């Protein structure tokens, strides 16, 4: 059973008591990410996340690290396109300490000059590491191609140039603008007493003042971005080519989300999928191939990724298009629909065994959708998907022909490759 409340200063709280475990997960979700940035401050959300661990009015960065180690827990954070999360996983008896450390990070950061300059070097190395990962790089290139001119095209880490340009004034301005109660959700899941925890949260987070947003936290993305066909490529001296095909999916909360999850699973979402079985298992043309979907406030992405030799690119692109065309014409079978429903429900139910996953689902849902779907609601939605839903979402996603391509690898004859890809995938 989920409990929802609001602290005295406006921070929303979602809680789920799980009395049969000995642990607790708590997260602070802040509605800020790369979607709130522009090219001048790209990476500021991720940089700010790092800086909150470098010291507060009460603790040094080292003391923060030692504090969580001393109770045997995990303190960490992550930045996504549309939100940032700071969390602790620990034994239930240490929940008050977890609340104390998280509230200190959020309420009392000091953003010292030396720490900022040092973190610029750390994150610059992280960006370089990311650039050396072609699978990560090709997805950034795909987003740049699909959403050019909007904040969705920006990499979460930022660039070496933007990160090196940050100073205390820029960081403090961004922090004060977005780290406000109306822009936050606290999510707690595990073994605890909700009434007691609510009182403790009020005590610890009361220092954050109540401020009206007045829509200043809206992203700068268009209501519905215009997606055009484009091919993006980068030469990199690596042995394997990394290839991505992307098209517009569905936005967060869309009625077609779960039907598209079904289609994704059948097409390329698991090892029994059509793409994996046909292109890897039968043909042996790739090492890795899968499909994937992302959802955002006003749009979404359905993508297909493959890792392969340069020599196999055209052949694999042709096979991918053949599977897409087969899906458009034949949809999926009723047996595939039944089997995939069970796979997805099993995966979802197994995820409920983990208090961290449950905590993230609660916090993200409340922050981005302003509501929480119960397990019963989600399972019912999956059960109620019919062939008419599959037909509708296949037509919507795969019949628009607004495909985008990105690839990274040792390809020298780009013009010839690109022309062949256009003929296969765009027409």
């Amino acid at each position: 059973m989920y409990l929802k409340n609001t602290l005295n200063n406006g921070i929303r709280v979602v809680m789920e008591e799980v009395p049969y475990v000995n642990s607790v997960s708590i997260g602070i979700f802040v509605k800020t990410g790369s979607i709130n940035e522009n090219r001048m401050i790209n990476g500021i959300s991720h940089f700010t996340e790092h800086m909150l661990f470098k010291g507060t009015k009460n603790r040094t960065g080292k003391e923060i690290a030692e504090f969580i180690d001393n109770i045997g827990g995990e303190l960490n954070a992550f930045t996504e396109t549309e939100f940032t999360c700071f969390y602790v996983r620990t034994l239930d008896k240490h929940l008050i300490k977890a609340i104390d450390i998280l509230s200190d990070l959020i309420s009392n950061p000091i953003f010292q000059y030396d720490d900022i300059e040092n973190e610029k070097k750390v994150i610059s190395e992280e960006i370089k590491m990311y650039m050396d990962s072609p699978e990560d790089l090709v997805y950034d290139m795909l987003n740049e191609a699909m959403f050019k001119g909007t904040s969705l095209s920006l990499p979460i880490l930022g660039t070496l140039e933007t990160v090196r340009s940050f100073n205390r004034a820029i960081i403090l301005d961004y922090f004060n603008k977005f780290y406000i109660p109306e822009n936050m959700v606290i999510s707690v899941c595990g073994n605890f007493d909700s009434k007691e925890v609510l009182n403790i949260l009020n005590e610890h987070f009361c220092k954050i003042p109540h401020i009206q947003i007045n829509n200043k936290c809206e992203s700068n993305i268009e209501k519905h971005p215009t997606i055009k066909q484009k091919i993006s490529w980068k030469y990199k001296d690596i042995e394997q080519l990394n290839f991505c095909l992307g098209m517009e999916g569905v936005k967060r909360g869309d009625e077609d989300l779960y039907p598209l999850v079904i289609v994704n699973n059948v097409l390329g979402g698991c090892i029994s999928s059509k793409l994996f079985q046909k292109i890897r298992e039968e043909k042996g043309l790739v090492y890795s191939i899968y499909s994937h979907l992302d959802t955002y406030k006003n749009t979404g992405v359905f993508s297909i990724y493959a890792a392969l030799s340069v020599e196999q690119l055209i052949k694999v692109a042709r096979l991918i298009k053949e599977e897409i065309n087969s899906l458009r014409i034949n949809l999926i079978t009723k047996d595939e629909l039944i089997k995939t429903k069970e796979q997805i429900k099993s995966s979802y139910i197994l995820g409920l065994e983990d208090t961290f996953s449950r905590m993230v689902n609660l916090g993200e849902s409340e922050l981005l959708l302003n509501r929480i779907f119960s397990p019963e609601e989600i399972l019912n939605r999956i059960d109620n998907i019919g062939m008419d839903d599959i037909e509708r979402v296949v037509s919507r996603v795969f019949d628009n022909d607004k495909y985008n391509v990105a690839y990274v690898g040792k390809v020298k004859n780009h013009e010839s490759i690109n022309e062949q890809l256009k003929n296969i995938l765009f027409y």
Side-chain angles (χ1 to χ4, degrees):
M1 178 180 176
Y2 307 124
L3 302 172
K4 295 175 61 172
N5 215 309
T6 304
L7 301 186
N8 295 336
N9 62 352
I11 297 178
R12 286 172 285 164
V13 179
V14 290
M15 297 180 283
E16 183 182 13
E17 295 183 31
V18 187
Y20 53 82
V21 299
N22 297 311
S23 63
V24 67
S25 295
I26 175 171
I28 314 299
F29 292 77
V30 187
K31 199 174 183 180
T32 179
S34 57
I35 201 169
N36 300 102
E37 301 168 0
N38 57 46
R39 290 200 175 274
M40 296 296 292
I41 58 167
N42 181 211
I44 191 71
S45 303
H46 175 254
F47 198 99
T48 302
E49 172 221 308
H50 274 233
M51 287 306 304
L52 264 61
F53 289 86
K54 297 306 167 186
T56 70
K57 295 175 183 177
N58 304 310
R59 297 176 174 92
T60 65
K62 183 179 180 181
E63 288 170 341
I64 291 170
E66 290 174 343
F67 181 91
I68 199 66
D69 283 346
N70 289 341
I71 64 173
E74 177 188 0
L75 169 66
N76 212 330
F78 57 90
T79 302
E80 298 285 356
T81 303
E82 296 182 298
F83 71 93
T84 304
C85 175
F86 301 83
Y87 68 87
V88 171
R89 290 197 281 188
T90 188
L91 297 177
D92 50 12
K93 65 180 181 180
H94 296 313
L95 178 56
I96 295 178
K97 293 181 179 179
I99 292 172
D100 179 60
I101 191 73
L102 285 173
S103 65
D104 195 24
L105 295 183
I106 298 294
S107 305
N108 305 306
I110 51 177
F111 302 121
Q112 288 188 331
Y113 172 82
D114 289 344
D115 291 330
I116 292 171
E117 293 305 306
N118 188 63
E119 206 58 27
K120 287 183 184 181
K121 294 182 285 186
V122 172
I123 295 179
S124 292
E125 293 304 316
E126 185 179 0
I127 292 172
K128 292 175 185 177
M129 180 180 69
Y130 194 82
M131 295 294 288
D132 283 339
S133 171
E135 183 174 353
D136 293 325
L137 179 59
V138 77
Y139 270 103
D140 274 354
M141 291 169 56
L142 182 67
N143 285 336
E144 170 69 23
M146 291 186 68
F147 300 115
K148 187 175 179 64
T150 77
S151 51
L152 278 178
S153 69
L154 303 175
I156 291 174
L157 297 184
T159 67
L160 293 174
E161 292 73 24
T162 57
V163 166
R164 289 166 180 166
S165 73
F166 295 155
N167 57 43
R168 189 174 189 274
I170 293 172
I171 297 167
L172 199 58
D173 178 70
Y174 193 84
F175 177 81
N176 289 335
K177 182 177 181 181
F178 290 102
Y179 282 71
I180 57 178
E182 290 80 0
N183 220 29
M184 295 183 188
V185 168
I186 299 174
S187 178
V188 192
C189 182
N191 187 18
F192 62 93
D193 180 271
S194 57
K195 291 183 179 179
E196 178 185 353
V197 167
L198 191 63
N199 290 331
I200 296 169
L201 290 172
N202 260 316
E203 291 173 6
H204 281 76
F205 286 89
C206 64
K207 294 179 182 178
I208 305 176
H210 179 91
I211 302 173
Q212 290 296 330
I213 297 179
N214 293 327
N215 296 321
K216 66 182 179 180
C217 293
E218 287 296 311
S219 70
N220 60 352
I221 185 176
E222 304 169 37
K223 289 298 181 182
H224 189 91
T226 302
I227 297 176
K228 301 179 181 178
Q229 292 178 330
K230 186 176 180 181
I231 295 180
S232 176
W233 70 91
K234 183 178 181 65
Y235 180 87
K236 202 170 184 62
D237 190 8
I238 51 179
E239 294 303 315
Q240 216 172 31
L241 184 80
N242 289 256
F243 168 87
C244 253
L245 173 67
M247 61 209 76
E248 185 172 12
V250 300
K251 66 181 181 180
R252 185 190 320 110
D254 195 289
E255 64 174 355
D256 281 338
L257 175 58
Y258 288 106
L260 186 56
V261 170
I262 297 282
V263 171
N264 172 67
N265 207 63
V266 173
L267 182 62
C270 61
I271 60 173
S272 64
S273 66
K274 295 179 183 296
L275 290 173
F276 191 91
Q277 288 298 313
K278 181 76 171 182
I279 300 176
R280 173 178 156 141
E281 297 300 281
E282 291 181 25
K283 303 290 186 181
L285 296 175
V286 300
Y287 173 73
S288 175
I289 186 165
Y290 59 83
S291 59
H292 176 71
L293 58 98
D294 292 295
T295 59
Y296 306 109
K297 179 180 180 181
N298 298 313
T299 189
V301 178
F302 187 94
S303 58
I304 296 171
Y305 167 86
L308 66 161
S309 298
V310 173
E311 301 78 37
Q312 307 296 350
L313 175 57
I314 299 304
K315 189 180 295 184
V316 168
R318 188 171 286 112
L319 288 170
I320 289 173
K321 188 60 182 291
E322 286 177 4
E323 290 300 328
I324 290 175
N325 287 339
S326 175
L327 178 65
R328 292 164 68 171
I329 296 168
N330 303 312
L331 302 178
I332 66 176
T333 67
K334 290 184 178 179
D335 285 343
E336 287 172 332
L337 177 60
I338 293 170
K339 181 191 75 172
T340 305
K341 283 183 181 182
E342 291 306 310
Q343 288 177 341
I344 293 171
K345 288 192 296 183
S346 295
S347 177
Y348 173 70
I349 292 169
L350 288 173
L352 296 178
E353 300 288 323
D354 178 14
T355 59
F356 177 75
S357 296
R358 292 167 82 155
M359 179 274 291
V360 172
N361 286 336
L362 288 173
E364 185 176 346
S365 183
E366 178 63 26
L367 185 75
L368 301 178
L369 292 172
N370 296 312
R371 66 158 298 179
I372 296 168
F373 294 95
S374 70
E376 292 76 22
E377 287 179 287
I378 292 173
L379 294 174
N380 284 336
R381 284 189 170 202
I382 296 170
D383 279 330
N384 290 331
I385 295 171
M387 290 302 295
D388 56 332
D389 300 305
I390 301 300
E391 182 176 8
R392 183 182 64 252
V393 78
V394 167
S395 176
R396 175 179 175 182
V397 173
F398 298 95
D399 282 357
N400 58 29
D401 284 335
K402 289 294 190 296
Y403 298 157
N404 281 261
V405 170
Y407 62 88
V408 178
K410 200 167 6 180
V411 178
K412 296 181 179 179
N413 55 331
H414 293 296
E415 293 82 1
S416 173
I417 292 292
N418 291 352
E419 194 60 36
Q420 293 179 74
L421 289 173
K422 286 179 183 178
N423 291 331
I424 294 168
L425 297 169
F426 290 0
Y427 309 122

